[in-house]
Amino acid sequence: MSRTVQTSGKGTQAAPDHGVTLREAFRVWLRVAALSFGGPAGQIAVMHRILVEEKRWISESRFLHALNYCMLLPGPEAQQLATYVGWLMHRTLGGLMAGGLFILPGIVAIMGLSWIYALYGKIGIVAALFFGLKAAVLAIVLEAVLRIGRRALKNRILIGLAGAAFVAIFFLHAPFPLIVFTAGLIGFLGGRAGLPQFQPGGSGNGSGDHGDLLGDSLPAHASPNVKRSVQVAAIWLTLWLAPVLMLVLFLGRGDVFSQIAVFFSKMAMVTFGGAYAALAYVAQQAVDTYGWLRPGEMLDGLGMAETTPGPLIMVLQFVGFMAAFRDAGTLNPLLAGTLGGLLTTWVTFAPCFLWIFLGAPYIEILRGNRALSGALSAITAAVVGVILNLAIWFGIHTIFGQVHEVAWGPFRFDAPIWGSVNLWALLLSGAAILAMFRFHVGMLSTLAATSAAGIALYWAGIIA
């Protein structure tokens, strides 16, 4: 476990002594990255299963505390959660390793598929592989909803908040930040009033955390420090914005690389509530304003991002690739596209490291605050409702080929068209759910089996 050292008037802090080496952490984060399918719900599920359940690096409450903070940030919450936990375990190097590895498979996969798309169009066998993967991911997502829900929703008030959050986002399309703010305010007031329902373990039926390697103490490197915060801000703002300023100064604002750098830097600051909150706007700008994509191509890129490892926001790399590919100037189009895609990825994800390395120490020291604990307990409940919304969305789009909007007063939602059901997707998803829930088949084995089934169906001519 953790050993402690005395500090000047601030109690004790834990020195890093959890026994997890950087080499072991590298292997674990690489595994997390390789399995990060299914959008944020699937990615959070994978991390929870590996980091909390299997490896027991951190406790359930600490995992949810970090997740709550990441949910409040612009950008991909799952990648930021990986960065947060990596930073907790192994300082800045651990955060860079966890956050960087999390997006590496997606960068490689989207870049490869972008090359294929630009040169040849769609490739069937790749789609077949991911067709099978999505079936297993659906089972993983459902398992995560149940596991996190059982532990986070400890009483009727929190269950009610989760249900209200689900109704607000699924049926009313309420903005995600509004949902989080409202839940947090309710929890803050409840915690400040001392209501036991908003405190960790407050209801008598929640299981406590125990047996995690990190322990509950504050690691020495997680203490807030104003000088350090200024240094972190200066370093990461420079790394993020210096390339943008250099491109604008040397190439001019009308150059495609300058446009990519400026536009996606702006998007990195406003993508609250996950990728879907921004993708409609990106698609409109990419097609109508900049002419980077043709109508319908954003959906092709979204299909790549949905079925490859990494955050869904990786679709922006495809947009940047196609933008530079079609406006290469004197460069080779494929080289220009590659540089455009990598530039997009850089300005999209560099801010994510800034938010974590700058803000996480201040979030860590607030874990014992009663009012904040109440706020975060309520946000956790709301997040369960949001993850359920993501799980249902993912399930509908995995099993059905078409949806239609149902409207009734203020309620609007996408309902599946039952005639568009994909029977093979339904069968594979059912088999994956049965394997994991009933027979407790491992995640890797389930993923491998459904992927192989997808390829087999393609070779048999059953799916295109």
Side-chain angles (χ1 to χ4, degrees):
M1 291 300 179
S2 301
R3 55 186 173 85
T4 58
V5 294
Q6 283 295 131
T7 58
S8 56
K10 296 182 181 178
T12 60
Q13 293 178 321
D17 192 25
H18 43 64
V20 181
T21 65
L22 269 174
R23 178 174 294 184
E24 180 184 352
F26 178 86
R27 291 195 296 267
V28 171
W29 288 119
L30 194 61
R31 179 183 168 201
V32 169
L35 299 176
S36 59
F37 294 88
Q43 293 150 7
I44 292 167
V46 166
M47 276 190 282
H48 184 273
R49 185 183 180 98
I50 293 175
L51 303 179
V52 178
E53 296 287 330
E54 180 182 324
K55 297 296 181 180
R56 294 189 178 274
W57 280 4
I58 62 173
S59 66
E60 179 84 21
S61 61
R62 208 153 193 172
F63 180 89
L64 293 175
H65 182 85
L67 175 59
N68 289 332
Y69 173 58
C70 296
M71 284 283 187
L72 296 173
L73 298 173
E77 56 267 32
Q79 187 267 349
Q80 290 165 336
L81 178 60
T83 305
Y84 194 121
V85 177
W87 166 80
L88 267 180
M89 297 292 292
H90 294 102
R91 303 174 179 261
T92 301
L93 181 58
L96 290 171
M97 179 173 65
L101 285 176
F102 192 87
I103 61 175
L104 183 61
I107 292 174
V108 174
I110 295 293
M111 188 62 71
L113 292 175
S114 297
W115 273 56
I116 293 172
Y117 188 91
L119 293 175
Y120 308 110
K122 302 175 184 178
I123 301 298
I125 194 170
V126 175
L129 170 66
F130 295 133
F131 175 84
L133 278 174
K134 286 196 292 185
V137 170
L138 179 57
I140 295 170
V141 169
L142 292 175
E143 186 184 42
V145 172
L146 292 175
R147 184 186 293 117
I148 295 176
R150 278 197 299 265
R151 299 191 178 189
L153 308 181
K154 300 182 291 292
N155 54 67
R156 292 181 179 179
I157 290 180
L158 296 180
I159 292 172
L161 282 174
F166 171 76
V167 170
I169 197 167
F170 188 83
F171 292 104
L172 299 174
H173 298 271
F176 179 79
L178 177 62
I179 294 172
V180 170
F181 176 80
T182 303
L185 179 61
I186 293 171
F188 179 86
L189 296 175
R192 191 172 182 179
L195 297 179
Q197 292 90 343
F198 292 101
Q199 298 306 312
S203 72
N205 63 349
S207 58
D209 295 322
H210 57 84
D212 56 285
L213 298 178
L214 185 64
D216 196 51
S217 300
L218 182 70
H221 69 275
S223 297
N225 181 286
V226 174
K227 180 181 178 181
R228 177 190 171 278
S229 298
V230 172
Q231 291 174 339
V232 167
I235 290 170
W236 282 98
L237 284 171
T238 300
L239 289 173
W240 171 22
L241 296 178
V244 179
L245 294 175
M246 290 176 63
L247 286 169
V248 172
L249 288 174
F250 287 102
L251 299 179
R253 292 187 64 88
D255 185 85
V256 66
F257 290 104
S258 299
Q259 292 176 340
I260 288 171
V262 172
F263 177 73
F264 289 112
S265 289
K266 292 178 182 178
M267 293 307 305
M269 294 186 288
V270 298
T271 50
F272 293 95
Y276 290 107
L279 289 184
Y281 175 74
V282 171
Q284 181 186 37
Q285 294 294 304
V287 174
D288 297 333
T289 303
Y290 294 102
W292 292 339
L293 299 180
R294 301 187 183 103
E297 287 186 334
M298 188 68 179
L299 290 177
D300 294 333
L302 186 59
M304 294 180 193
E306 285 176 339
T307 51
T308 51
L312 188 61
I313 203 72
M314 287 301 304
V315 66
L316 300 185
Q317 179 178 285
F318 169 76
V319 177
F321 179 96
M322 297 305 298
F325 178 82
R326 288 174 172 154
D327 190 8
T330 59
L331 295 176
N332 176 279
L334 287 175
L335 174 60
T338 301
L339 293 175
L342 293 176
L343 174 62
T344 302
T345 301
W346 177 256
V347 298
T348 297
F349 287 98
C352 297
F353 293 99
L354 170 64
W355 314 142
I356 297 302
F357 294 147
L358 183 62
Y362 297 93
I363 297 300
E364 278 296 300
I365 64 168
L366 292 173
R367 282 188 300 124
N369 182 280
R370 188 171 68 175
L372 182 68
S373 295
L376 292 180
S377 293
I379 292 173
T380 299
V383 166
V384 173
V386 172
I387 295 176
L388 177 60
N389 160 71
L390 292 170
I392 292 176
W393 186 95
F394 183 71
I396 289 173
H397 287 80
T398 296
I399 296 173
F400 297 92
Q402 296 177 309
V403 298
H404 67 101
E405 185 178 87
V406 175
W408 182 62
F411 296 93
R412 291 184 298 109
F413 64 96
D414 289 333
I417 296 176
W418 296 100
S420 70
V421 63
N422 187 317
L423 291 177
W424 286 106
L426 179 62
L427 288 173
L428 280 181
S429 299
I433 292 170
L434 186 65
M436 294 188 68
F437 281 78
R438 175 67 178 85
F439 298 106
H440 306 290
V441 177
M443 180 170 54
L444 284 175
S445 299
T446 305
L447 285 165
T450 56
S451 300
I455 293 174
L457 289 172
Y458 173 77
W459 285 117
I462 295 174
I463 62 174

